[in-house]
Amino acid sequence: MENKLDHADCPVTAAISLFGGRWKLIILYVLSKNTRRFGEIQVRVPSISKKVLTEQLRELEADGLISRKQYKELPPRVEYALTDFGKSLCPLLIDIAAWKRKNIG
């Protein structure tokens, strides 16, 4: 008899719900190097629109993977950084990059 996995109980499904999609892993990878301002992230992910980047950053913040710090100055400055929870993904991001270099070139 075939062993069927209930997607609700699948740990991969739960993890992908946090960082899945087209942009989130890329944003997390960009933030894995340094704290960045919005414009710095957008320069490193040039094909993402401002609207989508804003949405993705808000979702990552709501999920606890990144933090947003707003400074009280003119012009306003906002910085994004990985939280400790977000930093726990760094080994995965390194493994994905190594897998790509080994298997895709």
Side-chain angles (χ1 to χ4, degrees), residues 29-55:
Y29 183 75
V30 167
L31 291 174
S32 72
K33 305 296 182 189
N34 285 310
T35 297
R36 306 261 187 215
R37 293 174 71 176
F38 185 92
E40 293 175 308
I41 298 169
Q42 191 171 31
V43 165
R44 286 165 175 78
V45 190
S47 53
I48 192 171
S49 71
K50 287 182 181 183
K51 177 183 181 275
V52 172
L53 178 55
T54 299
E55 290 170 356

Side-chain angles (χ1 to χ4, degrees), residues 63-82:
D63 289 335
L65 293 167
I66 67 170
S67 64
R68 179 183 187 272
K69 185 172 182 180
Q70 185 169 351
Y71 295 88
K72 305 272 188 205
E73 55 188 44
L74 289 175
R77 178 171 51 119
V78 177
E79 292 182 342
Y80 296 91
L82 293 180

Side-chain angles (χ1 to χ4, degrees), residues 9 80 90 92:
D9 294 330
Y80 296 91
C90 288
L92 174 65

Side-chain angles (χ1 to χ4, degrees), residues 3-36:
N3 186 6
K4 295 193 180 202
L5 180 64
D6 180 5
H7 289 290
D9 294 330
C10 177
V12 174
T13 301
I16 289 176
S17 72
L18 290 174
F19 54 76
R22 183 173 180 185
W23 301 110
K24 287 183 181 177
L25 277 177
I26 298 167
I27 294 166
L28 291 168
Y29 183 75
V30 167
L31 291 174
S32 72
K33 305 296 182 189
N34 285 310
T35 297
R36 306 261 187 215

